[in-house]
Amino acid sequence: GEDFACWWTTARLVLSGQIMTVFDFHAYHHVQETLLGAGVENKEWLYPPHILPWIIWLGLLPYLVAFAAWMSLTFAAYAFAVAYKRPRPLLLTLILALSPSSIANIEAGQAGFLSGACLIGGLRLLDYAPTAAGILIGFMSFKPPLGPVLFLVLIAERRWKTFMAAGATVIVMIAISIALLGVTPWLAYFAITTHAQQIMLNAKLGQFYQYMMVSPFMAVRILGGSLTAGYAATVLAIIFVAETMGAGFKSTNSPRLRADMTVSGTFLIFPYLFIYDTPALSAVVLTTAWSEIMREQNGVARDFRPWQAAVLLALWLLPLGIVPLAKSGLPIYPLATGALLFMQVLWAKRISQTRR
């Protein structure tokens, strides 16, 4: 869990009143070495400050205890969001725990379970508890790249109650962070952290973190494309997502299919997404396959074509192979994600034609 060093160190600095050290990367790494030893990898804290009040408790615990608690609690939230009210939830939870994306998130020591819980949970609650859905979606703002598609969906579907709840949650989180930490961390975040993120995106190819990224932008870079080509790929991906999701949403009112398309589209449009963010998409893959397995056990024929099953299997397994494949010049995760979104639109249209 190398990245968890950032979460734990940042929590310790907040508790000790040294929050601004987080934005001095050299001093921050020195603190990490002091706390964890000289061999700790140089990592920066790149999350917005409004998540800080919610992770302070990590700094009260020894490192390994904090890591175990973080992974256990966030996985529990993620598994509950995915498995609740589905057939055989305990078995589903076990499969989630052993999934390649879960392993990748644990190895990184990151927040993929937390963001997955917010994204999947928020989407599943839209029709049943719109305010609670909005709170989860608003809390997910600690990971800004996951928000744009979902917020556009809320607007398109006129889910104003959820939209307002999400916006209010973000405002409250920001207000709490300013009340506890002041406005200076926010100024530093926009002046320093966002600039550092842009440098990471634009860096010369060859950095290890670049091979962990799952976006069309970085796929084009890995294939030898320029920065301009990478951003052009992002624009094309946005157009593809808009067109396919538009067609899919017109074809079906199914909350499940619309939610699945929203998750797939989310992973295609923003350059700054990593292997440890994929538990949310793996949940869609698993629940899609799970529903078909349950249908078959009940005597209903499967709807999958062989190529569709292959896409699901590839997306399920890829988190374990993203880095070596990318280093070999095969950054195929965005292609598989696009294929999944296309499949979801086909299913939506087939359902629409069946009901006519």
Side-chain angles (χ1 to χ4, degrees), residues 170-232:
V170 175
I171 292 171
V172 169
M173 290 177 68
I174 292 173
I176 291 173
S177 70
I178 292 174
L180 293 178
L181 306 173
V183 73
T184 308
W186 279 101
L187 298 176
Y189 172 75
F190 286 114
I192 299 171
T193 307
T194 57
H195 180 63
Q197 290 173 328
Q198 194 62 44
I199 291 175
M200 290 177 67
L201 277 180
N202 296 345
K204 184 179 179 181
L205 189 66
Q207 307 297 319
F208 181 78
Y209 69 82
Q210 293 171 322
Y211 300 113
M212 295 175 62
M213 300 178 82
V214 296
S215 62
F217 171 88
M218 194 53 66
V220 169
R221 294 284 316 281
I222 290 170
L223 290 171
S226 63
L227 281 174
T228 301
Y231 286 113

Side-chain angles (χ1 to χ4, degrees), residues 119-334:
L119 181 55
I120 300 298
L123 286 166
R124 293 193 69 191
L125 286 173
L126 281 176
D127 289 332
Y128 308 104
T131 299
I135 292 172
L136 286 176
I137 292 167
F139 195 86
M140 192 179 66
S141 61
F142 80 90
K143 187 73 178 182
L146 297 178
V149 171
L150 185 47
F151 271 90
L152 289 174
V153 167
L154 294 180
I155 294 170
E157 293 188 334
R158 299 183 179 182
R159 295 184 181 272
W160 304 122
K161 192 171 185 178
T162 301
F163 185 87
M164 295 299 291
T169 300
V170 175
I171 292 171
V172 169
M173 290 177 68
I174 292 173
I176 291 173
S177 70
I178 292 174
L180 293 178
L181 306 173
V183 73
T184 308
W186 279 101
L187 298 176
Y189 172 75
F190 286 114
I192 299 171
T193 307
T194 57
H195 180 63
Q197 290 173 328
Q198 194 62 44
I199 291 175
M200 290 177 67
L201 277 180
N202 296 345
K204 184 179 179 181
L205 189 66
Q207 307 297 319
F208 181 78
Y209 69 82
Q210 293 171 322
Y211 300 113
M212 295 175 62
M213 300 178 82
V214 296
S215 62
F217 171 88
M218 194 53 66
V220 169
R221 294 284 316 281
I222 290 170
L223 290 171
S226 63
L227 281 174
T228 301
Y231 286 113
T234 301
V235 172
L236 291 176
I238 291 172
I239 295 172
F240 170 75
V241 169
E243 292 292 331
T244 51
M245 285 187 63
F249 274 49
K250 287 179 182 178
S251 299
T252 182
N253 291 321
S254 166
R256 160 75 184 280
L257 267 178
R258 286 188 168 193
D260 288 354
M261 285 187 278
T262 300
V263 176
S264 299
T266 293
F267 277 82
L268 285 170
I269 68 164
F270 207 93
Y272 203 80
L273 286 171
F274 291 84
I275 181 176
Y276 50 72
D277 296 314
T278 59
L281 191 58
S282 290
V284 170
V285 171
L286 177 58
T287 54
T288 299
W290 196 251
S291 64
E292 290 303 309
I293 293 171
M294 293 299 105
R295 281 161 54 89
E296 187 175 49
Q297 287 184 351
N298 292 325
V300 180
R302 283 194 178 192
D303 288 336
F304 285 167
R305 309 294 189 272
W307 71 271
Q308 294 172 332
V311 168
L312 291 175
L313 181 61
L315 275 173
W316 180 255
L317 295 175
L318 271 174
L320 288 181
I322 286 176
V323 172
L325 283 171
K327 285 186 173 181
S328 301
L330 295 171
I332 61 175
Y333 196 88

Side-chain angles (χ1 to χ4, degrees), residues 75 79-80 82-97 124 286-287 289-298:
F75 176 77
F80 183 78
V82 176
Y84 181 65
K85 287 191 175 181
R86 296 193 191 275
R88 305 186 71 179
L90 292 180
L91 179 58
L92 194 59
T93 297
L94 177 61
I95 295 172
L96 284 172
R124 293 193 69 191
L286 177 58
T287 54
W290 196 251
S291 64
E292 290 303 309
I293 293 171
M294 293 299 105
R295 281 161 54 89
E296 187 175 49
Q297 287 184 351
N298 292 325

